[in-house]
Amino acid sequence: VTQDATTTQVTQDASLAEARRVNANSRAALGGSPAMVQFHWWDYSDPRFVDAASHLATLRDEGLLGEVAACNFDVAHLRALVDARVPIAANQVQYSLLDRRPENGMLAFAKARGLPLACFGAVGGGWLSDAY
């Protein structure tokens, strides 16, 4: 399924009702179910991120969205999602010659779990190109 549009929804409400509300808004904006939802959590001191991601998995199981991916999760918090059996399809992380943080455990964790990484910033935000 190819989507021609994207939606961005930001919330700190980790309830299933909120997940359903956001999903309904996204489906309306896209004219169908999103093929993938990239889940980002702003405040790791709030442990409800596991609940919120689990609710996305519920919506996936109901056919209301495609895959659930993580967005900029570190190893400890990605492990919490995986250990809670949230079906994470990929984790989007920044990775370049200038920002090698994924080498501090993320690459090994992802490889061990068979979890793809969607890397961005490969040319360091333009610093490694002629376009900066």
Side-chain angles (χ1 to χ4, degrees), residues 93-109:
V93 296
Q94 184 165 319
Y95 189 30
S96 72
L97 291 173
L98 301 176
D99 186 349
R100 301 173 75 107
R101 287 175 290 173
E103 294 176 6
N104 295 327
M106 180 59 70
L107 294 176
F109 177 79

Side-chain angles (χ1 to χ4, degrees), residues 61-79:
D61 293 346
E62 293 174 359
L64 297 173
L65 60 89
E67 301 296 333
V68 177
C71 181
N72 296 319
F73 270 73
D74 62 18
V75 174
H77 296 94
L78 184 62
R79 180 179 286 116

Side-chain angles (χ1 to χ4, degrees), residues 7-81:
T7 63
T8 300
Q9 303 281 322
V10 177
T11 183
Q12 284 300 113
D13 182 343
S15 70
L16 179 57
E18 178 68 354
R20 289 188 187 287
R21 184 193 69 77
V22 169
N23 177 261
N25 289 347
S26 293
R27 285 184 291 113
L30 294 169
S33 296
M36 177 180 285
V37 170
Q38 287 187 289
F39 174 67
H40 179 78
W41 195 254
W42 299 99
D43 181 7
Y44 289 139
S45 69
D46 179 351
R48 297 174 306 149
F49 70 93
V50 174
D51 296 333
S54 295
H55 296 323
L56 293 176
T58 296
L59 297 178
R60 182 191 78 115
D61 293 346
E62 293 174 359
L64 297 173
L65 60 89
E67 301 296 333
V68 177
C71 181
N72 296 319
F73 270 73
D74 62 18
V75 174
H77 296 94
L78 184 62
R79 180 179 286 116
L81 294 179

